[in-house]
Amino acid sequence: MLRIGCMAMMAVLSPLLEARDYRFSDAHLHYVDFFQESDGMEALQEKMQAAGIEHVMLSGVPVAKKWDEDEPKRPRYYAGDDANAYWYSATDVWVADAYKKLPANQRQYFHPFLSGFNPNDKNADAHIRRMLELDPGLWQGIGEIFTRHDDLTALIHGEAPRANNEALARVFHLAAEYDLPVLLHSNITSKRERNPLYLPEIEEPLRNHPHVRFIWAHAGTSMELHRHQVKLKFLYTNLERMLEQYPNLYIDLSWTMLQPYLLDEQGKPDAKWVKLISTYPERFMLGSDAVGQFDSLEETMKSFVPFLDALPEEVARRLSRDNFLQILPRNSKLQ
Ligand SMILES: [Zn+2]
């Protein structure tokens, strides 16, 4: 009886003993929301610890959603009403301030990215250069840059920003000069077109700026695209081709990538994606895409674990933590 009891106990314990202890880097986090408000640094640190997140990319949100004169209720999200959103540079002030207030021994875990500029303005690079010179060494990347972003694009008055426009070409030259990685949101298509309508817009800078490390936010997908199309049939083959073709392309697997791509409808890891990520073990990273609120960080990171467990341990470690740290500027790779 005793022996059976022991064996039963071992059977219960063994999955726990074998479980991998993941440490995370969150490669896509917004310190503020679309109203430029935040739970604050203390809350972020607490939730990072609970989630096992060691490092975070710390970005603002480059647009502010307006509470319009015509709107009776204050909106809670950019899609909450018809009011527009506008380019908002002060977002970087909040990020820099939060970072500077951290004790010196904590700063190594936070990686500020500069985002507050209009990607359609050919003066954007001049603004970014002034910001980089204002706080030398503070900014470790540029982004998240919003270009094609379905409904959000429609709410920003003026032309739709393209990843291959002239203003951004100037920004990418600056990124190369300062060795800064770029997190770029550029939808692969529109809500209704079931083909990669906008793909050439991101391929052009990948080709023209081989010295810039581009992180493609959600691999060109978005929640809004999924509402209309559920799963983009052409995503995998294009990604497979692009990873081979552009060594400077990195993929952020946050949010819309987990399901229906990495995990199938039953929550099982998709063998095709396991293969792709194992073939390019240094090119993928995880992110929460949290916007100003950090309560769900733990749940979000945990949701990646079934997929991570399906990868070889070394690949899983790179994906969950190391790859993000590897693409940071040379002078910030101290850890
Ligand atoms: Zn984002």
Side-chain angles (χ1 to χ4, degrees):
M1 270 307 280
L2 185 65
R3 225 180 124 193
I4 292 166
C6 274
M7 282 175 72
M9 180 103 102
M10 289 282 285
V12 173
L13 281 177
S14 61
L16 289 174
L17 293 172
E18 284 166 19
R20 299 175 185 168
D21 181 23
Y22 294 112
R23 307 274 91 196
F24 295 102
S25 290
D26 186 341
H28 187 156
L29 179 131
H30 301 275
Y31 182 63
V32 298
D33 63 14
F34 286 88
F35 305 92
Q36 305 296 322
E37 292 172 349
S38 176
D39 283 351
M41 187 50 94
E42 220 170 284
L44 174 56
Q45 285 178 295
E46 191 186 305
K47 302 297 176 191
M48 279 169 66
Q49 193 162 17
I53 300 172
E54 272 180 16
H55 291 265
V56 282
M57 174 268 196
L58 196 68
S59 158
V61 168
V63 293
K65 165 80 174 180
K66 192 162 135 194
W67 184 7
D68 197 87
E69 277 294 333
D70 295 335
E71 297 295 342
K73 266 175 66 183
R74 188 178 193 249
R76 289 175 295 139
Y77 194 56
Y78 72 77
D81 61 28
D82 295 337
N84 72 312
Y86 55 98
W87 301 108
Y88 187 84
S89 288
T91 198
D92 295 322
V93 176
W94 314 132
V95 173
D97 180 62
Y99 177 78
K100 286 176 188 172
K101 282 179 179 157
L102 284 165
N105 66 350
Q106 285 297 306
R107 286 189 197 159
Q108 59 182 307
Y109 303 112
F110 295 82
H111 306 279
F113 276 44
L114 189 137
S115 68
F117 56 89
N118 179 344
N120 269 333
D121 183 351
K122 286 193 264 183
N123 278 322
D125 63 314
H127 164 78
I128 297 169
R129 187 182 291 279
R130 284 193 298 273
M131 293 296 285
L132 296 177
E133 286 170 3
L134 185 66
D135 281 305
L138 187 145
W139 301 103
Q140 297 178 26
I142 296 177
E144 181 181 15
I145 303 175
F146 289 164
T147 63
R148 301 281 186 185
H149 198 309
D150 48 79
D151 288 358
L152 180 61
T153 308
L155 289 176
I156 303 168
H157 292 171
E159 327 76 65
R162 285 179 284 109
N164 60 342
N165 70 13
E166 212 179 310
L168 284 177
R170 299 171 67 99
V171 171
F172 300 149
H173 281 300
L174 188 66
E177 186 186 326
Y178 278 81
D179 192 35
L180 298 171
V182 173
L183 175 65
L184 183 63
H185 187 118
S186 178
N187 281 1
I188 194 167
T189 187
S190 70
K191 291 194 289 188
R192 295 187 72 89
E193 285 297 321
R194 292 169 189 271
N195 60 72
L197 180 67
Y198 296 139
L199 186 60
E201 294 181 8
I202 182 147
E203 290 212 45
E204 197 178 313
L206 285 168
R207 199 164 39 239
N208 292 349
H209 304 269
H211 301 299
V212 177
R213 302 178 293 286
F214 287 96
I215 312 166
W216 194 12
H218 333 287
T221 68
S222 79
M223 194 52 91
E224 204 47 43
L225 295 190
H226 287 166
R227 279 193 190 109
H228 286 256
Q229 304 200 26
V230 186
K231 188 171 182 175
L232 307 178
K233 304 244 165 17
F234 49 83
L235 182 67
Y236 187 92
T237 44
N238 275 297
L239 218 48
E240 203 176 26
R241 171 185 59 79
M242 289 167 75
L243 284 161
E244 162 87 34
Q245 202 170 341
Y246 309 112
N248 56 336
L249 170 64
Y250 296 83
I251 306 296
D252 151 32
L253 291 174
S254 66
W255 208 24
T256 41
M257 289 307 291
L258 185 61
Q259 257 168 336
Y261 300 103
L262 306 186
L263 302 178
D264 65 17
E265 280 135 43
Q266 286 77 43
K268 282 224 219 61
D270 184 318
K272 267 170 63 184
W273 285 88
V274 169
K275 181 171 155 257
L276 185 65
I277 290 167
S278 304
T279 309
Y280 297 97
E282 291 170 357
R283 309 281 288 282
F284 291 85
M285 46 195 83
L286 302 182
S288 65
D289 204 6
V291 275
Q293 294 181 339
F294 312 118
D295 281 345
S296 56
L297 279 187
E298 187 176 0
E299 199 189 318
T300 306
M301 286 307 176
K302 261 195 195 146
S303 65
F304 287 107
V305 168
F307 185 78
L308 288 168
D309 282 344
L311 293 169
E313 190 159 4
E314 169 71 10
V315 179
R317 196 172 52 72
R318 285 169 185 256
L319 171 59
S320 61
R321 180 185 178 276
D322 299 352
N323 287 348
F324 171 64
L325 302 177
Q326 286 303 319
I327 57 126
L328 293 172
R330 280 179 289 274
N331 61 10
S332 68
K333 280 180 208 158
L334 303 171
Q335 48 284 324

